[in-house]
Amino acid sequence: MTRAEAKERNRRALLEAARLIVASDGHRAKLEEIAEQAGLTTGAVYSLFGSKNGLLVAVVADYLTPHYDGIEQAVPAGMGLTEAVEVFARHYRRLCDDPDALRHLSFEISLQDLALRDPELRPRLAASVRAHEERLTALLAGRIHHGNALTPRQARRLATALRALLVGLSQGVILGLADAAPGEYFAATARALITPDVLGPP
């Protein structure tokens, strides 16, 4: 194994260990326990990520990247805005049926708890989430709705509303509060956001 390969192996081990420990321990997650879970020392964390918070920010990016990769694959270029939003919403609903959906939700809630308790971590996590939300904005911008292309400003407003709606609905399904919400319900509620009030001026 080359030095670069060993570094990447250690990086992956720490990311996976951090996800497990944060999901189970929340704000009580200790750097020492994460390192031990990964079979490494805390020195490896500082070497690879700079700090515990640096590791947590990297965990968020590592967690969100495949999610948004899947969205981009599900919503091809050339699709109209309404259809794209419906496909995006159904994709979100399918994620609720993942066998690991409850574990993923536990991780997300634990991260939010960490962010609330750590004023230094909060803006860094928010910036990481916003960077991925920009991918959704770029995916929506330029799509045609009623003969007009959605502007980047309108796409950003719609992306924010969609993410808030679908995250809330998904949590309801995973927790058993909205288990009768099929993909079509997700699609219909998402489609209802495509209004002048939500999109705003170009």
Side-chain angles (χ1 to χ4, degrees):
M1 182 179 294
T2 67
R3 185 173 180 177
E5 289 171 338
K7 183 178 179 180
E8 179 58 22
R9 180 200 62 188
N10 292 344
R11 180 178 173 278
R12 293 297 328 162
L14 285 167
L15 289 171
E16 291 167 12
R19 282 183 64 173
L20 287 172
I21 298 295
V22 167
S24 63
D25 296 351
H27 70 274
R28 295 181 299 276
K30 292 182 171 55
L31 190 59
E32 294 78 9
E33 292 176 1
I34 294 172
E36 183 180 353
Q37 175 76 23
L40 298 166
T41 66
T42 55
V45 176
Y46 290 105
S47 174
L48 290 166
F49 300 100
S51 65
K52 177 184 175 181
N53 282 350
L55 170 59
L56 293 175
V57 170
V59 169
V60 172
D62 186 69
Y63 175 73
L64 289 177
T65 295
H67 174 62
Y68 280 91
D69 287 346
I71 291 170
E72 289 176 350
Q73 292 173 8
V75 186
M79 185 179 283
L81 179 65
T82 300
E83 186 180 0
V85 165
E86 291 174 348
V87 170
F88 170 50
R90 290 191 183 96
H91 173 78
Y92 236 100
R93 177 60 182 83
R94 285 194 297 274
L95 293 176
C96 299
D97 296 326
D98 187 313
D100 289 327
L102 189 58
R103 184 169 59 86
H104 293 325
L105 178 57
S106 175
F107 170 70
E108 292 168 7
I109 292 172
S110 295
L111 270 178
Q112 292 170 9
D113 182 41
L114 278 166
L116 288 172
R117 294 169 183 271
D118 188 336
E120 189 273 335
L121 177 62
R122 192 181 312 141
R124 296 183 66 184
L125 287 179
S128 181
V129 172
R130 276 196 299 270
H132 283 84
E133 191 171 292
E134 284 299 315
R135 292 181 64 179
L136 178 56
T137 298
L139 191 67
L140 297 173
R143 294 186 186 269
I144 304 301
H145 179 61
H146 293 325
N148 297 311
L150 204 69
T151 67
R153 175 178 174 174
Q154 291 173 319
R156 186 172 298 109
R157 287 171 59 93
L158 180 57
T160 299
L162 280 170
R163 194 177 70 81
L165 171 71
L166 295 174
V167 166
L169 285 175
S170 296
Q171 290 180 357
V173 170
I174 294 168
L175 294 173
L177 304 174
D179 54 348
E184 185 49 44
Y185 179 78
F186 270 56
T189 54
R191 185 172 62 241
L193 291 176
I194 310 175
T195 67
D197 287 338
V198 172
L199 298 180

